[in-house]
Amino acid sequence: MSASKRIMDLLGASLVLLLCSPVLLACAVAVKASSPGPVLFRQDRVGLGGKRFRIRKFRTMHVTDGAGPQVTAAGDARITAVGRVLRRSKLDELPQLIDVLVGNMSLVGPRPEVPRYIAQYPEEVRAKILSVRPGITDNAAIAFRDEERMLAASSDVERTYVEQIMPIKQRYYLDYVAHRSVAGDLAIIGRTVWAIAGPKKR
C-alpha cells in the first residue's frame, strides 16, 4: 500500500494546491494584514518513526512568547479575528499540503502531536501510531472537529485534552493503523469534505 498511498498523496496534494492557489494567496494576505508576525505558524510535531518535523499552518494567533497551553479552546484570546474564520473553516490547515509533498505527512493518517503529548502515550501505542506518516485528516479529526468548543467548557484545557480526548484519539489512530487502505483513505477524505462543506447541525 505504501507506494500507491504515496502516489495518491503526491497527486492529491499537488492538485489541491493548484486549484486552491487563489484561496491560499487570499488567506496569506489576510493573515499578514490582520496582525504583526509571519504568515505561517511552524511548530515541532512528531512524525513517522518518531522523527520531528515543523508543521505548516496559517498563523491564527497573535505572536507571543510561547507561553500558554498547546491546545486551543474556542474563545482563546490569542486567536485573531482572521484566525477565527480560518480555524472554523479549516483553511488554516491548507499549508500542510506542502508537508505532504515533502514527505513529512500524508493526506490521511493520525494527526501529528507535539512532542510533550506524544511522550505521554503508552510505549506500545506510540510505536504503532508512529509506524505510519501522520495525516492532515482521519476519523479522529472528523469526530473531534468541534474540539475547541468541547475544550471551551473546561477550566483546565490541557488536563481535559490529555485525560479525556487524547485516549479516544489514540483508539482512532490504532484502528487506522490496523485497517488502513487506499479505499479507506478515500472514504475518510470524502467524509472530511462533507464534514467541512456539508449542511451543519443546528
Side-chain angles (χ1 to χ4, degrees), residues 49-149:
K51 180 182 176 182
R52 293 192 185 191
F53 69 98
R54 301 198 75 208
I55 199 169
R56 294 168 173 88
K57 292 187 178 187
F58 282 122
R59 180 175 58 83
T60 60
M61 293 186 175
H62 296 285
V63 176
T64 67
D65 60 2
Q70 290 188 290
V71 289
T72 309
D76 192 312
R78 297 173 296 173
I79 303 175
T80 65
V82 168
R84 282 195 292 273
V85 176
L86 295 180
R87 296 174 82 95
R88 194 181 313 121
S89 62
K90 303 301 181 183
L91 290 173
D92 63 315
E93 310 278 357
L94 282 176
Q96 289 168 56
L97 292 165
I98 300 171
D99 293 312
V100 173
L101 289 181
V102 301
N104 289 327
M105 293 181 65
S106 177
L107 294 175
V108 180
R111 286 293 299 159
E113 278 284 16
V114 297
R116 86 184 201 201
Y117 292 151
I118 280 288
Q120 298 181 56
Y121 282 28
E123 186 174 348
E124 183 179 350
V125 170
R126 181 168 61 244
K128 288 181 179 178
I129 292 172
L130 297 181
S131 70
V132 300
R133 280 190 181 93
I136 294 177
T137 188
D138 73 323
N139 284 325
I142 298 170
F144 285 97
R145 185 172 184 273
D146 291 326
E147 179 182 306
E148 290 186 7
R149 270 188 264 178

Side-chain angles (χ1 to χ4, degrees), residues 130-199:
L130 297 181
S131 70
V132 300
R133 280 190 181 93
I136 294 177
T137 188
D138 73 323
N139 284 325
I142 298 170
F144 285 97
R145 185 172 184 273
D146 291 326
E147 179 182 306
E148 290 186 7
R149 270 188 264 178
M150 298 176 192
L151 291 172
S154 172
S155 59
D156 186 336
V157 293
E158 285 202 284
R159 182 173 181 179
T160 298
Y161 180 77
V162 170
E163 295 183 358
Q164 298 181 28
I165 293 178
M166 201 163 73
I168 299 174
K169 285 186 173 182
Q170 289 173 23
R171 291 197 288 273
Y172 275 111
Y173 298 159
L174 290 172
D175 182 72
Y176 174 79
V177 171
H179 302 102
R180 66 192 187 279
S181 67
V182 170
D185 282 5
L186 291 172
I188 290 172
I189 291 171
R191 288 197 293 273
T192 299
V193 172
W194 179 255
I196 294 172

Side-chain angles (χ1 to χ4, degrees), residues 14-25:
S14 299
L15 180 61
V16 176
L17 279 171
L18 179 63
L19 294 176
C20 292
S21 55
V23 177
L24 286 160
L25 178 60

